[in-house]
Amino acid sequence: MLIKHSMNTIVEVLIFAIARGLVVGHEKPLEELIRIACIATLLLCRKYLFHEFDFHEED
């Protein structure tokens, strides 16, 4: 994931890192809710704000 240079892979790495923190960490409920909101925001940005060219790799 980190070798490709596209906006899609950057967002995927951020989602993966936040989700891993949810699974591994034992945080307060408010912090978990904030992490879930961040994941939802990244997924919404990926769905609605990316164009077709954002999913292609740079050579």
Side-chain angles (χ1 to χ4, degrees):
M1 271 195 275
L2 294 175
I3 295 173
K4 299 177 188 176
H5 297 288
S6 68
M7 288 302 294
N8 187 36
T9 56
I10 293 170
V11 171
E12 285 179 2
V13 167
L14 287 172
I15 291 171
F16 180 76
I18 295 170
R20 184 182 178 277
L22 267 173
V23 172
V24 174
H26 301 286
E27 309 295 333
K28 296 178 183 175
L30 181 61
E31 293 175 5
E32 289 181 5
L33 184 63
I34 291 171
R35 287 183 181 183
I36 292 169
C38 290
I39 291 173
T41 303
L42 286 170
L43 289 172
L44 288 173
C45 288
R46 187 173 146 208
K47 181 174 176 85
Y48 293 112
L49 297 180
F50 281 11
H51 297 285
E52 186 64 33
F53 61 85
D54 290 326
F55 293 99
H56 296 293
E57 299 176 17
E58 293 180 14
D59 292 328

